[in-house]
Amino acid sequence: MTALDLSSPVAVVGTGTMGQGIAQVALVAGHPVRLYDAVPGRAREAAEAIGARLDRLVAKDRLTGAERDAARARLEPAASLAELADCSLVAEAVLERLDVKQELFRELEGIVADDCLLATNTSSLSVTAIGGALRHPGRFVGLHFFNPAPLLPLVEVVSGFATDVTSATRAYETARAWGKTPVACADTPGFIVNRIARPFYAEAFAVYEAQAADPATIDAVLRESGGFRMGAFELTDLIGQDVNESVTHSVWQSFFQDVRFTPSLAQRRLVESGRLGRKSGHGWYAYPDGADGPERPEPHTAEKTRAPAHVVAEGDLGPAGELLALIREAGIQVREEDEDNGTRLLLPSGGQLVLADGQTSVEFRDVVYFDLALDYRRATRIALSASQDTSPQTLAEATGLFQALGKDVSVIGDVPGMIVARTVARIIDLAHDAVAKGVATEEDIDTAMRLGVNYPLGPFEWSRALGRSWACAVLDELHEREPSGRYAPSLALYRHAYATDKREGA
């Protein structure tokens, strides 16, 4: 099944920001496009707005004047749904209410031809439930674009329970012909991106609620150590706290209040107070009028401390193995010792420096934990955690060591899994669970998370880089310390790690 022919008219119902974006994508690809909105006059206003954006594309040399004029000639506001009768695809971007969408598609089904593809851009409702109102739900599919649709490449092509393979394939190929990067997924709460991204927000909020670090510090660690483009607090301020919480709540309810998706009470209080982020002038951060960005406090950064003269490395340090080369390059002596049960650095004071593993510093004698980094060489900040029983000298030596490597150091509270490690472990777990349940392939999940939310690596790329059993081991330790079920490794991740361990031990 191939993409729709460019001569085939495409209709977009709903002319808000997303509807206009989808219409622009189809229009620039070469289709005749019809715009419809239930509010009189809105479709014409939307057509004018799209025309103005086409003018800006010409000014930026992304479109020629002739291409703009041809596109404008193909764009038509429609006064009624009846004017969409000859369209080969109708995509809706109306209010996120099941009854509204069902009624729209019931009406459309009586207007368009039997081979017309019907698509919803819903981000939170069940594609199966919307299509369930149709006499012929096989032609109904989800086409979930990301905002702004003309700029972001990802499109989730969602097959409902009754969607025909031919319909899903045609939708997929059409999105690709429009210059997008489509990924195929089953109809599951949150689809791919909104399902697997939940821990990015949830774990940052959990660390904050545990009073282990403030938002500015958590965001800085996620960016400068984890490699994420934005931290969770600044990103939810940009999205809108009400919007982000609504998606989280929808996924949680759709999974029958699965504890892995439990919303944040701190975020609920923020929404209740009207602090919705940039759009309201205040969220986690303040946004003064006329300011380019947030009025964000500086992250906690430790004062300069002397580096230790030497360290002893026991074991290979696993994902942090690159540190040994960096320490030597900084002129600090490293002595390596083979240890069957240890992957740690011993400091001159006798204290230990250990990569975050889901345990806490208070459980051990004189231990400082350091957080996971995407790339220890390129990271500009490292988080450390210690308990009230940790020797000040040990913490000072650990701080000085990373400062000697050119890193800013943030000292946070003694929370298991710290910030980056617990976040990445949970993202990897949800990704494995999604594949095992037939939501999408590993390749499509990696693509979706890189393009949909700009993750530096896809979950499976991360899993391979960290070692197949790393995430499961971290979550096992977290689950032991918080046995609510939130951190229990999925059966899929457990099988993945255990099968590897058996092969390695054979």
mmCIF file with all atom_site columns, all heavy atoms in Angstrom, residues 228-249:
data_model
loop_
_atom_site.group_PDB
_atom_site.id
_atom_site.type_symbol
_atom_site.label_atom_id
_atom_site.label_alt_id
_atom_site.label_comp_id
_atom_site.label_asym_id
_atom_site.label_entity_id
_atom_site.label_seq_id
_atom_site.pdbx_PDB_ins_code
_atom_site.Cartn_x
_atom_site.Cartn_y
_atom_site.Cartn_z
_atom_site.occupancy
_atom_site.B_iso_or_equiv
_atom_site.pdbx_formal_charge
_atom_site.auth_seq_id
_atom_site.auth_comp_id
_atom_site.auth_asym_id
_atom_site.auth_atom_id
_atom_site.pdbx_PDB_model_num
ATOM 1   N N   . PHE A 1 228 ? 20.293 15.561 28.603 1.00 0.00 ? 228 PHE A N   1
ATOM 2   C CA  . PHE A 1 228 ? 18.971 15.957 28.123 1.00 0.00 ? 228 PHE A CA  1
ATOM 3   C C   . PHE A 1 228 ? 19.000 17.426 27.718 1.00 0.00 ? 228 PHE A C   1
ATOM 4   O O   . PHE A 1 228 ? 19.703 18.236 28.332 1.00 0.00 ? 228 PHE A O   1
ATOM 5   C CB  . PHE A 1 228 ? 17.916 15.735 29.209 1.00 0.00 ? 228 PHE A CB  1
ATOM 6   C CG  . PHE A 1 228 ? 17.682 14.292 29.535 1.00 0.00 ? 228 PHE A CG  1
ATOM 7   C CD1 . PHE A 1 228 ? 18.330 13.692 30.596 1.00 0.00 ? 228 PHE A CD1 1
ATOM 8   C CD2 . PHE A 1 228 ? 16.820 13.531 28.763 1.00 0.00 ? 228 PHE A CD2 1
ATOM 9   C CE1 . PHE A 1 228 ? 18.129 12.354 30.908 1.00 0.00 ? 228 PHE A CE1 1
ATOM 10  C CE2 . PHE A 1 228 ? 16.604 12.188 29.060 1.00 0.00 ? 228 PHE A CE2 1
ATOM 11  C CZ  . PHE A 1 228 ? 17.260 11.602 30.132 1.00 0.00 ? 228 PHE A CZ  1
ATOM 12  N N   . ARG A 1 229 ? 18.240 17.773 26.704 1.00 0.00 ? 229 ARG A N   1
ATOM 13  C CA  . ARG A 1 229 ? 18.263 19.152 26.204 1.00 0.00 ? 229 ARG A CA  1
ATOM 14  C C   . ARG A 1 229 ? 17.699 20.124 27.230 1.00 0.00 ? 229 ARG A C   1
ATOM 15  O O   . ARG A 1 229 ? 18.172 21.259 27.349 1.00 0.00 ? 229 ARG A O   1
ATOM 16  C CB  . ARG A 1 229 ? 17.471 19.254 24.899 1.00 0.00 ? 229 ARG A CB  1
ATOM 17  C CG  . ARG A 1 229 ? 17.556 20.620 24.245 1.00 0.00 ? 229 ARG A CG  1
ATOM 18  C CD  . ARG A 1 229 ? 17.012 20.602 22.846 1.00 0.00 ? 229 ARG A CD  1
ATOM 19  N NE  . ARG A 1 229 ? 17.804 19.745 21.973 1.00 0.00 ? 229 ARG A NE  1
ATOM 20  C CZ  . ARG A 1 229 ? 17.595 19.616 20.661 1.00 0.00 ? 229 ARG A CZ  1
ATOM 21  N NH1 . ARG A 1 229 ? 16.601 20.279 20.088 1.00 0.00 ? 229 ARG A NH1 1
ATOM 22  N NH2 . ARG A 1 229 ? 18.346 18.820 19.937 1.00 0.00 ? 229 ARG A NH2 1
ATOM 23  N N   . MET A 1 230 ? 16.673 19.706 27.945 1.00 0.00 ? 230 MET A N   1
ATOM 24  C CA  . MET A 1 230 ? 16.066 20.540 28.986 1.00 0.00 ? 230 MET A CA  1
ATOM 25  C C   . MET A 1 230 ? 15.835 19.683 30.212 1.00 0.00 ? 230 MET A C   1
ATOM 26  O O   . MET A 1 230 ? 15.662 18.470 30.115 1.00 0.00 ? 230 MET A O   1
ATOM 27  C CB  . MET A 1 230 ? 14.731 21.140 28.523 1.00 0.00 ? 230 MET A CB  1
ATOM 28  C CG  . MET A 1 230 ? 14.820 22.070 27.337 1.00 0.00 ? 230 MET A CG  1
ATOM 29  S SD  . MET A 1 230 ? 13.185 22.726 26.863 1.00 0.00 ? 230 MET A SD  1
ATOM 30  C CE  . MET A 1 230 ? 12.926 23.937 28.160 1.00 0.00 ? 230 MET A CE  1
ATOM 31  N N   . GLY A 1 231 ? 15.808 20.326 31.380 1.00 0.00 ? 231 GLY A N   1
ATOM 32  C CA  . GLY A 1 231 ? 15.456 19.623 32.593 1.00 0.00 ? 231 GLY A CA  1
ATOM 33  C C   . GLY A 1 231 ? 13.947 19.469 32.702 1.00 0.00 ? 231 GLY A C   1
ATOM 34  O O   . GLY A 1 231 ? 13.180 20.115 31.981 1.00 0.00 ? 231 GLY A O   1
ATOM 35  N N   . ALA A 1 232 ? 13.500 18.629 33.628 1.00 0.00 ? 232 ALA A N   1
ATOM 36  C CA  . ALA A 1 232 ? 12.074 18.321 33.747 1.00 0.00 ? 232 ALA A CA  1
ATOM 37  C C   . ALA A 1 232 ? 11.247 19.522 34.187 1.00 0.00 ? 232 ALA A C   1
ATOM 38  O O   . ALA A 1 232 ? 10.103 19.689 33.755 1.00 0.00 ? 232 ALA A O   1
ATOM 39  C CB  . ALA A 1 232 ? 11.875 17.171 34.740 1.00 0.00 ? 232 ALA A CB  1
ATOM 40  N N   . PHE A 1 233 ? 11.803 20.362 35.036 1.00 0.00 ? 233 PHE A N   1
ATOM 41  C CA  . PHE A 1 233 ? 11.047 21.499 35.555 1.00 0.00 ? 233 PHE A CA  1
ATOM 42  C C   . PHE A 1 233 ? 10.888 22.580 34.492 1.00 0.00 ? 233 PHE A C   1
ATOM 43  O O   . PHE A 1 233 ? 9.799  23.121 34.294 1.00 0.00 ? 233 PHE A O   1
ATOM 44  C CB  . PHE A 1 233 ? 11.719 22.048 36.813 1.00 0.00 ? 233 PHE A CB  1
ATOM 45  C CG  . PHE A 1 233 ? 11.735 21.061 37.950 1.00 0.00 ? 233 PHE A CG  1
ATOM 46  C CD1 . PHE A 1 233 ? 12.787 20.171 38.106 1.00 0.00 ? 233 PHE A CD1 1
ATOM 47  C CD2 . PHE A 1 233 ? 10.682 20.993 38.847 1.00 0.00 ? 233 PHE A CD2 1
ATOM 48  C CE1 . PHE A 1 233 ? 12.799 19.244 39.132 1.00 0.00 ? 233 PHE A CE1 1
ATOM 49  C CE2 . PHE A 1 233 ? 10.675 20.071 39.889 1.00 0.00 ? 233 PHE A CE2 1
ATOM 50  C CZ  . PHE A 1 233 ? 11.741 19.187 40.027 1.00 0.00 ? 233 PHE A CZ  1
ATOM 51  N N   . GLU A 1 234 ? 11.962 22.903 33.786 1.00 0.00 ? 234 GLU A N   1
ATOM 52  C CA  . GLU A 1 234 ? 11.858 23.917 32.736 1.00 0.00 ? 234 GLU A CA  1
ATOM 53  C C   . GLU A 1 234 ? 11.016 23.409 31.571 1.00 0.00 ? 234 GLU A C   1
ATOM 54  O O   . GLU A 1 234 ? 10.279 24.181 30.940 1.00 0.00 ? 234 GLU A O   1
ATOM 55  C CB  . GLU A 1 234 ? 13.242 24.357 32.269 1.00 0.00 ? 234 GLU A CB  1
ATOM 56  C CG  . GLU A 1 234 ? 14.135 23.254 31.752 1.00 0.00 ? 234 GLU A CG  1
ATOM 57  C CD  . GLU A 1 234 ? 15.555 23.731 31.479 1.00 0.00 ? 234 GLU A CD  1
ATOM 58  O OE1 . GLU A 1 234 ? 15.748 24.935 31.207 1.00 0.00 ? 234 GLU A OE1 1
ATOM 59  O OE2 . GLU A 1 234 ? 16.487 22.898 31.540 1.00 0.00 ? 234 GLU A OE2 1
ATOM 60  N N   . LEU A 1 235 ? 11.097 22.106 31.275 1.00 0.00 ? 235 LEU A N   1
ATOM 61  C CA  . LEU A 1 235 ? 10.311 21.567 30.167 1.00 0.00 ? 235 LEU A CA  1
ATOM 62  C C   . LEU A 1 235 ? 8.821  21.576 30.481 1.00 0.00 ? 235 LEU A C   1
ATOM 63  O O   . LEU A 1 235 ? 8.008  21.944 29.628 1.00 0.00 ? 235 LEU A O   1
ATOM 64  C CB  . LEU A 1 235 ? 10.777 20.149 29.829 1.00 0.00 ? 235 LEU A CB  1
ATOM 65  C CG  . LEU A 1 235 ? 10.060 19.464 28.663 1.00 0.00 ? 235 LEU A CG  1
ATOM 66  C CD1 . LEU A 1 235 ? 10.095 20.307 27.401 1.00 0.00 ? 235 LEU A CD1 1
ATOM 67  C CD2 . LEU A 1 235 ? 10.669 18.089 28.391 1.00 0.00 ? 235 LEU A CD2 1
ATOM 68  N N   . THR A 1 236 ? 8.446  21.199 31.691 1.00 0.00 ? 236 THR A N   1
ATOM 69  C CA  . THR A 1 236 ? 7.016  21.227 32.026 1.00 0.00 ? 236 THR A CA  1
ATOM 70  C C   . THR A 1 236 ? 6.492  22.657 32.114 1.00 0.00 ? 236 THR A C   1
ATOM 71  O O   . THR A 1 236 ? 5.328  22.909 31.820 1.00 0.00 ? 236 THR A O   1
ATOM 72  C CB  . THR A 1 236 ? 6.724  20.477 33.343 1.00 0.00 ? 236 THR A CB  1
ATOM 73  O OG1 . THR A 1 236 ? 7.594  20.961 34.383 1.00 0.00 ? 236 THR A OG1 1
ATOM 74  C CG2 . THR A 1 236 ? 6.934  18.982 33.178 1.00 0.00 ? 236 THR A CG2 1
ATOM 75  N N   . ASP A 1 237 ? 7.343  23.607 32.492 1.00 0.00 ? 237 ASP A N   1
ATOM 76  C CA  . ASP A 1 237 ? 6.941  25.016 32.433 1.00 0.00 ? 237 ASP A CA  1
ATOM 77  C C   . ASP A 1 237 ? 6.654  25.435 30.996 1.00 0.00 ? 237 ASP A C   1
ATOM 78  O O   . ASP A 1 237 ? 5.736  26.212 30.726 1.00 0.00 ? 237 ASP A O   1
ATOM 79  C CB  . ASP A 1 237 ? 8.046  25.922 33.007 1.00 0.00 ? 237 ASP A CB  1
ATOM 80  C CG  . ASP A 1 237 ? 7.858  26.217 34.490 1.00 0.00 ? 237 ASP A CG  1
ATOM 81  O OD1 . ASP A 1 237 ? 6.864  25.738 35.076 1.00 0.00 ? 237 ASP A OD1 1
ATOM 82  O OD2 . ASP A 1 237 ? 8.706  26.933 35.055 1.00 0.00 ? 237 ASP A OD2 1
ATOM 83  N N   . LEU A 1 238 ? 7.453  24.929 30.052 1.00 0.00 ? 238 LEU A N   1
ATOM 84  C CA  . LEU A 1 238 ? 7.262  25.250 28.643 1.00 0.00 ? 238 LEU A CA  1
ATOM 85  C C   . LEU A 1 238 ? 6.002  24.583 28.098 1.00 0.00 ? 238 LEU A C   1
ATOM 86  O O   . LEU A 1 238 ? 5.204  25.210 27.387 1.00 0.00 ? 238 LEU A O   1
ATOM 87  C CB  . LEU A 1 238 ? 8.486  24.799 27.840 1.00 0.00 ? 238 LEU A CB  1
ATOM 88  C CG  . LEU A 1 238 ? 8.439  25.024 26.328 1.00 0.00 ? 238 LEU A CG  1
ATOM 89  C CD1 . LEU A 1 238 ? 8.346  26.515 26.006 1.00 0.00 ? 238 LEU A CD1 1
ATOM 90  C CD2 . LEU A 1 238 ? 9.667  24.409 25.667 1.00 0.00 ? 238 LEU A CD2 1
ATOM 91  N N   . ILE A 1 239 ? 5.807  23.320 28.428 1.00 0.00 ? 239 ILE A N   1
ATOM 92  C CA  . ILE A 1 239 ? 4.620  22.585 27.967 1.00 0.00 ? 239 ILE A CA  1
ATOM 93  C C   . ILE A 1 239 ? 3.353  23.170 28.570 1.00 0.00 ? 239 ILE A C   1
ATOM 94  O O   . ILE A 1 239 ? 2.307  23.266 27.912 1.00 0.00 ? 239 ILE A O   1
ATOM 95  C CB  . ILE A 1 239 ? 4.733  21.095 28.366 1.00 0.00 ? 239 ILE A CB  1
ATOM 96  C CG1 . ILE A 1 239 ? 5.892  20.429 27.629 1.00 0.00 ? 239 ILE A CG1 1
ATOM 97  C CG2 . ILE A 1 239 ? 3.434  20.342 28.106 1.00 0.00 ? 239 ILE A CG2 1
ATOM 98  C CD1 . ILE A 1 239 ? 6.253  19.052 28.180 1.00 0.00 ? 239 ILE A CD1 1
ATOM 99  N N   . GLY A 1 240 ? 3.433  23.585 29.825 1.00 0.00 ? 240 GLY A N   1
ATOM 100 C CA  . GLY A 1 240 ? 2.263  23.983 30.619 1.00 0.00 ? 240 GLY A CA  1
ATOM 101 C C   . GLY A 1 240 ? 2.037  22.933 31.676 1.00 0.00 ? 240 GLY A C   1
ATOM 102 O O   . GLY A 1 240 ? 1.860  21.758 31.344 1.00 0.00 ? 240 GLY A O   1
ATOM 103 N N   . GLN A 1 241 ? 2.069  23.345 32.950 1.00 0.00 ? 241 GLN A N   1
ATOM 104 C CA  . GLN A 1 241 ? 1.912  22.363 34.029 1.00 0.00 ? 241 GLN A CA  1
ATOM 105 C C   . GLN A 1 241 ? 0.574  21.648 33.945 1.00 0.00 ? 241 GLN A C   1
ATOM 106 O O   . GLN A 1 241 ? 0.483  20.445 34.219 1.00 0.00 ? 241 GLN A O   1
ATOM 107 C CB  . GLN A 1 241 ? 2.083  23.052 35.395 1.00 0.00 ? 241 GLN A CB  1
ATOM 108 C CG  . GLN A 1 241 ? 3.447  23.675 35.619 1.00 0.00 ? 241 GLN A CG  1
ATOM 109 C CD  . GLN A 1 241 ? 4.581  22.677 35.522 1.00 0.00 ? 241 GLN A CD  1
ATOM 110 O OE1 . GLN A 1 241 ? 4.401  21.493 35.789 1.00 0.00 ? 241 GLN A OE1 1
ATOM 111 N NE2 . GLN A 1 241 ? 5.752  23.143 35.119 1.00 0.00 ? 241 GLN A NE2 1
ATOM 112 N N   . ASP A 1 242 ? -0.474 22.373 33.566 1.00 0.00 ? 242 ASP A N   1
ATOM 113 C CA  . ASP A 1 242 ? -1.795 21.757 33.456 1.00 0.00 ? 242 ASP A CA  1
ATOM 114 C C   . ASP A 1 242 ? -1.830 20.718 32.344 1.00 0.00 ? 242 ASP A C   1
ATOM 115 O O   . ASP A 1 242 ? -2.396 19.629 32.506 1.00 0.00 ? 242 ASP A O   1
ATOM 116 C CB  . ASP A 1 242 ? -2.873 22.817 33.239 1.00 0.00 ? 242 ASP A CB  1
ATOM 117 C CG  . ASP A 1 242 ? -2.558 23.755 32.071 1.00 0.00 ? 242 ASP A CG  1
ATOM 118 O OD1 . ASP A 1 242 ? -1.381 23.850 31.662 1.00 0.00 ? 242 ASP A OD1 1
ATOM 119 O OD2 . ASP A 1 242 ? -3.496 24.412 31.578 1.00 0.00 ? 242 ASP A OD2 1
ATOM 120 N N   . VAL A 1 243 ? -1.190 21.025 31.218 1.00 0.00 ? 243 VAL A N   1
ATOM 121 C CA  . VAL A 1 243 ? -1.164 20.084 30.084 1.00 0.00 ? 243 VAL A CA  1
ATOM 122 C C   . VAL A 1 243 ? -0.355 18.841 30.447 1.00 0.00 ? 243 VAL A C   1
ATOM 123 O O   . VAL A 1 243 ? -0.796 17.711 30.224 1.00 0.00 ? 243 VAL A O   1
ATOM 124 C CB  . VAL A 1 243 ? -0.573 20.769 28.833 1.00 0.00 ? 243 VAL A CB  1
ATOM 125 C CG1 . VAL A 1 243 ? -0.402 19.760 27.704 1.00 0.00 ? 243 VAL A CG1 1
ATOM 126 C CG2 . VAL A 1 243 ? -1.460 21.928 28.394 1.00 0.00 ? 243 VAL A CG2 1
ATOM 127 N N   . ASN A 1 244 ? 0.837  19.060 31.022 1.00 0.00 ? 244 ASN A N   1
ATOM 128 C CA  . ASN A 1 244 ? 1.691  17.928 31.376 1.00 0.00 ? 244 ASN A CA  1
ATOM 129 C C   . ASN A 1 244 ? 1.031  17.045 32.433 1.00 0.00 ? 244 ASN A C   1
ATOM 130 O O   . ASN A 1 244 ? 1.051  15.818 32.322 1.00 0.00 ? 244 ASN A O   1
ATOM 131 C CB  . ASN A 1 244 ? 3.042  18.442 31.875 1.00 0.00 ? 244 ASN A CB  1
ATOM 132 C CG  . ASN A 1 244 ? 3.999  17.322 32.233 1.00 0.00 ? 244 ASN A CG  1
ATOM 133 O OD1 . ASN A 1 244 ? 4.166  16.983 33.398 1.00 0.00 ? 244 ASN A OD1 1
ATOM 134 N ND2 . ASN A 1 244 ? 4.633  16.732 31.232 1.00 0.00 ? 244 ASN A ND2 1
ATOM 135 N N   . GLU A 1 245 ? 0.426  17.669 33.431 1.00 0.00 ? 245 GLU A N   1
ATOM 136 C CA  . GLU A 1 245 ? -0.227 16.872 34.475 1.00 0.00 ? 245 GLU A CA  1
ATOM 137 C C   . GLU A 1 245 ? -1.436 16.127 33.913 1.00 0.00 ? 245 GLU A C   1
ATOM 138 O O   . GLU A 1 245 ? -1.712 14.985 34.291 1.00 0.00 ? 245 GLU A O   1
ATOM 139 C CB  . GLU A 1 245 ? -0.670 17.754 35.640 1.00 0.00 ? 245 GLU A CB  1
ATOM 140 C CG  . GLU A 1 245 ? -1.052 16.924 36.849 1.00 0.00 ? 245 GLU A CG  1
ATOM 141 C CD  . GLU A 1 245 ? -2.159 17.526 37.686 1.00 0.00 ? 245 GLU A CD  1
ATOM 142 O OE1 . GLU A 1 245 ? -2.965 18.315 37.144 1.00 0.00 ? 245 GLU A OE1 1
ATOM 143 O OE2 . GLU A 1 245 ? -2.249 17.195 38.875 1.00 0.00 ? 245 GLU A OE2 1
ATOM 144 N N   . SER A 1 246 ? -2.138 16.755 32.987 1.00 0.00 ? 246 SER A N   1
ATOM 145 C CA  . SER A 1 246 ? -3.312 16.110 32.388 1.00 0.00 ? 246 SER A CA  1
ATOM 146 C C   . SER A 1 246 ? -2.913 14.844 31.630 1.00 0.00 ? 246 SER A C   1
ATOM 147 O O   . SER A 1 246 ? -3.592 13.813 31.724 1.00 0.00 ? 246 SER A O   1
ATOM 148 C CB  . SER A 1 246 ? -4.012 17.088 31.445 1.00 0.00 ? 246 SER A CB  1
ATOM 149 O OG  . SER A 1 246 ? -5.088 16.461 30.783 1.00 0.00 ? 246 SER A OG  1
ATOM 150 N N   . VAL A 1 247 ? -1.801 14.900 30.889 1.00 0.00 ? 247 VAL A N   1
ATOM 151 C CA  . VAL A 1 247 ? -1.329 13.726 30.169 1.00 0.00 ? 247 VAL A CA  1
ATOM 152 C C   . VAL A 1 247 ? -0.921 12.630 31.153 1.00 0.00 ? 247 VAL A C   1
ATOM 153 O O   . VAL A 1 247 ? -1.268 11.452 30.984 1.00 0.00 ? 247 VAL A O   1
ATOM 154 C CB  . VAL A 1 247 ? -0.151 14.084 29.237 1.00 0.00 ? 247 VAL A CB  1
ATOM 155 C CG1 . VAL A 1 247 ? 0.455  12.817 28.629 1.00 0.00 ? 247 VAL A CG1 1
ATOM 156 C CG2 . VAL A 1 247 ? -0.622 15.026 28.132 1.00 0.00 ? 247 VAL A CG2 1
ATOM 157 N N   . THR A 1 248 ? -0.175 13.027 32.197 1.00 0.00 ? 248 THR A N   1
ATOM 158 C CA  . THR A 1 248 ? 0.238  12.052 33.217 1.00 0.00 ? 248 THR A CA  1
ATOM 159 C C   . THR A 1 248 ? -0.979 11.397 33.854 1.00 0.00 ? 248 THR A C   1
ATOM 160 O O   . THR A 1 248 ? -1.029 10.169 34.036 1.00 0.00 ? 248 THR A O   1
ATOM 161 C CB  . THR A 1 248 ? 1.088  12.732 34.299 1.00 0.00 ? 248 THR A CB  1
ATOM 162 O OG1 . THR A 1 248 ? 2.265  13.278 33.701 1.00 0.00 ? 248 THR A OG1 1
ATOM 163 C CG2 . THR A 1 248 ? 1.500  11.744 35.379 1.00 0.00 ? 248 THR A CG2 1
ATOM 164 N N   . HIS A 1 249 ? -1.967 12.201 34.204 1.00 0.00 ? 249 HIS A N   1
ATOM 165 C CA  . HIS A 1 249 ? -3.178 11.681 34.856 1.00 0.00 ? 249 HIS A CA  1
ATOM 166 C C   . HIS A 1 249 ? -3.941 10.747 33.923 1.00 0.00 ? 249 HIS A C   1
ATOM 167 O O   . HIS A 1 249 ? -4.450 9.694  34.344 1.00 0.00 ? 249 HIS A O   1
ATOM 168 C CB  . HIS A 1 249 ? -4.073 12.847 35.292 1.00 0.00 ? 249 HIS A CB  1
ATOM 169 C CG  . HIS A 1 249 ? -5.111 12.466 36.290 1.00 0.00 ? 249 HIS A CG  1
ATOM 170 N ND1 . HIS A 1 249 ? -6.371 12.034 35.926 1.00 0.00 ? 249 HIS A ND1 1
ATOM 171 C CD2 . HIS A 1 249 ? -5.082 12.422 37.647 1.00 0.00 ? 249 HIS A CD2 1
ATOM 172 C CE1 . HIS A 1 249 ? -7.073 11.753 37.013 1.00 0.00 ? 249 HIS A CE1 1
ATOM 173 N NE2 . HIS A 1 249 ? -6.321 11.981 38.066 1.00 0.00 ? 249 HIS A NE2 1
#
